[in-house]
Amino acid sequence: VDRETGTVQYFELVKVAMRDEAGHCTGLLGIARDITARKRVEAELIAARDAADAGNRAKADFLANMSHEIRTPMNAVIGMSDLLLQTPLTAQQQEFAEIIRTSGETLLALINGILDFSRIESGHLELECLPMDLVQCLEGALDVNCGGARDKGLDLLYWIDDAVPRTILGDATRLRQIFVNLISNAVKYSREDTTVTITMRREGDEVVIVCADQGIGISEDDQAQLFTEFFRSADPLARIQPGTGLGLAIVGRIVERHHGSIRVESTLGVGSTFTVRLPAA
Ligand code: ADP
């Protein structure tokens, strides 16, 4: 403690024994360095880190609560408009109820996308690492997209090589999301009466998943930004479709968290091919 000011000062002491030629200790040499400023900065950094940790925890809790609070009434809106559509309605009432249902679904998809994305970004998405069935995952995602494909007269084809391991280690829900997002994009941006093909093969210690469409294609400039959040192409043909620009950003993050990679090849007006590589073990 500084006697004059009463403040606490910190010193770092280094002591060295001084010896004569015979090696006997003749005294001590001490060097004291004032490290008060360093200590103060350290304390400030620790306080800032603790405050940031508390802030992140509060944000994660808020997100978890909000996601539940928002989804519950949205599901009621969609469920009730579904029920309403099964009752006798005039043509105009039918039209209004259908708009409520589609808008509800779009809003729910947007909310889910934003919540998922922010959870992944803030590092609060806990991924499971359990044996999961890739084929089941793909077939589940195809089921979800059957309706959309039928409406556009598309064929959904898939082919799985025998060498693909039936199970890999990963998070089934999130990996299914990769398939769902890629296939729904392929369906959404396909030209009518074409084919979407999904193949899975093994290459060394990787599973390679390829999703190819005969759609509107993606320009080279756009390809470079595809996995950025909220990116949507300015191409009028793409703009006709509803979207949030979060689907591929989420896919990119999930692939990354599974230590895999994703890339796209595309030619405008011809089609797009997305290739995902995941560790097979
Ligand atoms: P969105 O919800 O807008 O579809 P995504 O992140 O899934 O968001 O995709 C971002 C953009 O990439 C889309 O708006 C679209 O322009 C383009 N895109 C994605 N997949 C395809 C595809 N298979 N064919 C053509 N364009 C695509």
Side-chain angles (χ1 to χ4, degrees), residues 181-182 185-186 188-190 213 215-218 222 226 228 231-234 238 242-249 266 272 274:
N181 290 7
L182 289 182
N185 274 350
K188 195 155 77 165
Y189 300 107
S190 270
D213 64 56
I216 59 172
I218 308 162
D222 286 352
L226 275 192
T228 315
F231 173 77
R232 301 200 62 209
S233 168
T244 59
L246 281 173
L248 286 179
S266 184
S272 311
F274 287 83

Side-chain angles (χ1 to χ4, degrees), residues 139-190:
E139 287 177 344
L142 285 166
D143 282 347
V144 176
N145 283 292
C146 270
R150 195 182 41 232
D151 292 347
K152 287 182 90 169
L154 301 177
D155 282 328
L156 283 183
L157 292 183
Y158 72 99
W159 176 82
I160 301 163
D161 192 274
D162 283 346
V164 172
R166 185 78 194 189
T167 57
I168 65 164
L169 283 181
D171 186 312
T173 316
R174 298 298 158 187
L175 288 173
R176 183 171 175 274
Q177 208 171 355
I178 297 181
F179 288 116
V180 170
N181 290 7
L182 289 182
I183 299 172
S184 66
N185 274 350
V187 168
K188 195 155 77 165
Y189 300 107
S190 270

Side-chain angles (χ1 to χ4, degrees), residues 80-213:
M80 289 297 134
S81 48
D82 253 347
L83 290 180
L84 185 62
L85 281 164
Q86 288 165 29
T87 61
L89 298 174
T90 66
Q92 197 181 38
Q93 286 168 338
Q94 170 97 14
E95 189 191 332
F96 291 167
E98 271 168 12
I99 294 172
I100 296 175
R101 192 186 51 189
T102 3
S103 306
E105 277 163 3
T106 311
L107 188 54
L108 189 62
L110 178 63
I111 293 165
N112 282 339
I114 292 174
L115 290 171
D116 265 348
F117 186 74
S118 51
R119 212 172 307 129
I120 294 173
E121 277 298 84
S122 63
H124 287 292
L125 183 80
E126 299 287 328
L127 286 190
E128 280 182 350
C129 188
L130 296 171
M132 47 81 50
D133 189 328
L134 268 179
V135 176
Q136 213 177 43
C137 212
L138 168 61
E139 287 177 344
L142 285 166
D143 282 347
V144 176
N145 283 292
C146 270
R150 195 182 41 232
D151 292 347
K152 287 182 90 169
L154 301 177
D155 282 328
L156 283 183
L157 292 183
Y158 72 99
W159 176 82
I160 301 163
D161 192 274
D162 283 346
V164 172
R166 185 78 194 189
T167 57
I168 65 164
L169 283 181
D171 186 312
T173 316
R174 298 298 158 187
L175 288 173
R176 183 171 175 274
Q177 208 171 355
I178 297 181
F179 288 116
V180 170
N181 290 7
L182 289 182
I183 299 172
S184 66
N185 274 350
V187 168
K188 195 155 77 165
Y189 300 107
S190 270
R191 285 171 282 126
E192 298 208 338
D193 304 317
T194 54
T195 303
V196 173
T197 317
I198 298 104
T199 60
M200 262 199 259
R201 62 175 196 273
R202 185 176 183 142
E203 253 182 44
D205 48 12
E206 285 181 328
V207 175
V208 185
I209 301 156
V210 182
C211 177
D213 64 56

